[in-house]
Amino acid sequence: MSIEESLDLSVVDETGYDVNQIKLKCDLYPELRVRLNDSGEVEPYAVSRSEKKLVVLPQLVDIRGNLIYPQNLYLTSCARRSKSIETSVQALLMFTRWLRANNKSYRDVFADPKDGVPWQFAKFLKRSIRTDIYDDRAKTIELSTAKTYTRKIIDFYKWLNREGIFTWSDNKRPFHFSYKRIPRTKSRDDIDMLSHTKKNIEIIVQSADVMNIFPSSAKLNPHQKLKPLTNNHLSILESYIQSDGFSWRDKLMFELSYKGGLRVEEVASLNEGAIYQPKLGDKECALSLLVAKGVDVKGDKSRVTKIPASLMSELFDYKISCDRLAIIKKVQESLLENKGEPRLFLSTRTKSGQICTNTIQSSWSVLRKKIRRKYGDWYYKYHDLRSTFATDWLLNKARNSGLPFDFYFSELQTLLGHSESTDTMIYIDLAKDAEMRKEAAERRNSEAQGNR
């Protein structure tokens, strides 16, 4: 087995590896001049810039703190063209780590592109594609991520050739390109005074041969497309939202989704009357999501879900807190204009005083970006919190009772508010798959211990 085949994604995706990302203040358009020093000799010097012209730019460094060439020059070039270069940074970071793990250089390119490092790295990405959420491998990536990273590496080599840093030739060619002509059909709605000049216009698309190794789509069953948080990743999430300084409101909104299965629309529109003080000794509390109370429930189907009593108690504390009462005071006029019961979560940024789903999604994106700075593989959408609730609830119920997953089908459908039984069946299939994998892992461990 070659070195490339023996490595998995965890080797090139660990914090503390000998190539890491840092943030530096840089001048995107530096200017170099020469001057005479006191000895009469000519010496170069960089023209000083004001702080306003400096930007914070991600850069790659090795374990000694040395900047890595020419990857950082490419990232600077990307920053001149685009405000967001995070994807380019992650692609170059993984590529550089992979090169060092294999004792290779970006210059290891040959007459046959398939023998060069760009192709080998693309094959490595293909092997790292997630087959399902319970993939046995430590770290995996999505098909779309593998394709995007490969396109970034293609662009990197194009830039190397364009800048003369690594010139392509017949003996050194990273890729073969093909061109496809796509005719531009005229629509009936395409009314243009100059339309007669556009009759034979074609769109020419350039494609690198390395992209053909990836499948057009990930062939996953519906339940394999779900992505509930793993226990480890859930612990990471809770360590951030429970830390000092994190928004209390945002923490409660996120917990409602992964502890109660609420959709983002339901969190945003949850009425304050649904929150109450739990009774002493209660472990679970019923949370009513009623359309009549203004809750934006999918399909206008009211339902009652269950949340931990500890969460309900904290929600009640938030409901009567000084922070929330201060917001109510600021948006009191808007609340009076709106008929119906006030929402639990409010905002001073909207005229109505109601928080928007985009605000919640934005808060989630900010948190996710912060977590990914330390844990690169931690990537979840907000809706994955709801999937986490459903799978955890179902697995705990079945394991505690010993009853099959199908026994809890109706109760799970009610908790999630599914109109279609097929939507609920996806979670049943996921739980069955997870249980089979767990049993297989336990059997392998038992066999391994018996063979010692």
Side-chain angles (χ1 to χ4, degrees):
M1 182 180 290
S2 65
I3 295 177
E4 293 88 343
E5 291 174 345
S6 63
L7 291 172
D8 61 24
L9 194 62
S10 61
V11 176
V12 296
D13 196 28
E14 289 291 337
T15 303
Y17 193 70
D18 64 350
V19 177
N20 285 294
Q21 174 194 163
I22 63 171
K23 298 288 182 69
L24 295 176
K25 281 190 175 181
C26 302
D27 186 353
L28 294 181
Y29 301 93
E31 186 178 351
L32 187 66
R33 295 181 183 177
V34 295
R35 62 187 174 189
L36 294 176
N37 58 21
D38 296 338
S39 302
E41 297 176 344
V42 176
E43 65 177 11
Y45 73 98
V47 179
S48 61
R49 298 276 189 173
S50 66
E51 286 290 327
K52 294 181 179 179
K53 293 187 177 181
L54 299 179
V55 298
V56 177
L57 185 67
Q59 297 281 271
L60 305 185
V61 296
D62 62 19
I63 197 170
R64 297 178 182 85
N66 299 317
L67 294 172
I68 297 177
Y69 173 88
Q71 284 88 328
N72 286 326
L73 289 181
Y74 170 73
L75 294 178
T76 302
S77 174
C78 291
R80 292 171 181 168
R81 291 175 284 156
S82 174
K83 291 183 179 180
S84 176
I85 63 168
E86 186 62 30
T87 304
S88 298
V89 173
Q90 294 300 323
L92 263 293
L93 178 62
M94 185 179 290
F95 180 55
T96 306
R97 286 176 172 176
W98 180 86
L99 288 174
R100 298 212 171 192
N102 287 279
N103 296 318
K104 293 182 180 295
S105 165
Y106 71 92
R107 290 181 172 272
D108 291 339
V109 177
F110 310 99
D112 187 351
K114 294 182 180 179
D115 295 332
V117 290
W119 262 80
Q120 297 302 319
F121 179 67
K123 290 178 180 179
F124 162 75
L125 291 177
K126 182 184 177 183
R127 293 194 302 271
S128 303
I129 294 173
R130 178 176 73 97
T131 55
D132 60 66
I133 190 57
Y134 289 102
D135 201 314
D136 291 335
R137 293 171 294 175
K139 302 206 178 204
T140 58
I141 57 176
E142 299 294 333
L143 171 62
S144 58
T145 302
K147 288 183 175 180
T148 300
Y149 282 8
T150 304
R151 292 190 183 100
K152 294 298 181 182
I153 300 305
I154 294 172
D155 188 67
F156 172 60
Y157 274 88
K158 284 183 178 180
W159 175 83
L160 290 174
N161 181 58
R162 195 164 55 245
E163 295 295 324
I165 299 174
F166 180 73
T167 307
W168 301 2
S169 65
D170 291 339
N171 296 326
K172 291 185 177 291
R173 182 165 295 279
F175 314 101
H176 284 306
F177 292 95
S178 61
Y179 297 87
K180 185 176 182 180
R181 296 178 179 273
I182 302 176
R184 194 172 173 184
T185 57
K186 186 178 178 181
S187 171
R188 292 181 179 180
D189 299 328
D190 188 9
I191 301 174
D192 191 343
M193 292 180 63
L194 299 177
S195 60
H196 61 284
T197 66
K198 303 179 181 178
K199 289 182 180 179
N200 299 319
I201 290 180
E202 293 179 323
I203 300 174
I204 300 177
V205 179
Q206 183 191 64
S207 177
D209 53 355
V210 69
M211 296 303 300
N212 295 331
I213 70 173
F214 296 105
S216 57
S217 61
K219 297 179 180 179
L220 301 177
N221 294 321
H223 73 275
Q224 293 174 325
K225 296 179 182 179
L226 295 174
K227 194 180 178 182
L229 276 72
T230 62
N231 291 334
N232 181 43
H233 283 181
L234 183 58
S235 298
I236 292 173
L237 171 63
E238 292 183 332
S239 69
Y240 275 81
I241 65 175
Q242 292 174 5
S243 62
D244 294 337
F246 191 82
S247 169
W248 189 16
R249 183 196 68 180
D250 291 351
K251 170 184 176 293
L252 293 175
M253 290 193 298
F254 299 159
E255 287 184 336
L256 275 171
S257 290
Y258 76 81
K259 292 183 177 181
L262 273 67
R263 301 180 179 92
V264 64
E265 296 84 3
E266 295 165 347
V267 173
S269 58
L270 181 64
N271 60 304
E272 66 174 15
I275 307 303
Y276 55 90
Q277 181 67 53
K279 295 180 181 179
L280 188 64
D282 284 350
K283 293 183 178 180
E284 275 189 338
C285 292
L287 179 64
S288 301
L289 306 175
L290 306 177
V291 176
K293 296 295 184 179
V295 182
D296 185 8
V297 186
K298 187 176 181 180
D300 292 335
K301 185 179 179 181
S302 298
R303 74 177 192 277
V304 177
T305 187
K306 295 178 181 178
I307 63 173
S310 58
L311 176 56
M312 179 64 82
S313 179
E314 191 173 358
L315 287 167
F316 183 78
D317 291 341
Y318 174 77
K319 175 182 173 180
I320 61 175
S321 66
C322 295
D323 292 344
R324 183 173 180 272
L325 294 177
I327 297 176
I328 291 177
K329 188 175 181 180
K330 291 181 180 179
V331 298
Q332 192 168 13
E333 293 183 4
S334 300
L335 295 177
L336 292 174
E337 293 177 3
N338 297 327
K339 295 181 180 179
E341 193 175 314
R343 295 181 176 183
L344 176 64
F345 301 111
L346 302 169
S347 173
T348 57
R349 296 183 178 182
T350 58
K351 293 182 179 179
S352 62
Q354 299 175 347
I355 194 169
C356 302
T357 56
N358 287 343
T359 302
I360 302 176
Q361 294 280 14
S362 177
S363 298
W364 177 254
S365 297
V366 171
L367 173 61
R368 179 177 59 203
K369 187 175 181 180
K370 183 177 180 180
I371 295 176
R372 280 174 58 82
R373 289 173 187 164
K374 186 174 182 180
Y375 306 96
D377 62 331
W378 201 99
Y379 187 91
Y380 295 93
K381 298 179 181 178
Y382 189 89
H383 192 73
D384 294 330
L385 298 177
R386 176 173 158 87
S387 299
T388 302
F389 163 76
T391 51
D392 286 354
W393 182 89
L394 187 59
L395 288 169
N396 288 332
K397 280 287 185 180
R399 287 171 182 171
N400 291 336
S401 66
L403 295 172
F405 296 114
D406 302 85
F407 182 82
Y408 295 99
F409 178 88
S410 298
E411 188 175 355
L412 181 62
Q413 184 176 15
T414 302
L415 288 174
L416 295 177
H418 286 156
S419 300
E420 300 292 335
S421 59
T422 51
D423 294 336
T424 310
M425 199 64 206
I426 293 174
Y427 292 97
I428 302 292
D429 292 337
L430 178 63
K432 290 179 179 178
D433 196 15
E435 198 66 19
M436 288 176 61
R437 288 181 178 274
K438 181 185 176 184
E439 292 175 359
E442 291 175 348
R443 185 168 59 252
R444 287 196 299 269
N445 290 337
S446 177
E447 292 173 354
Q449 291 175 0
N451 292 332
R452 288 180 179 176

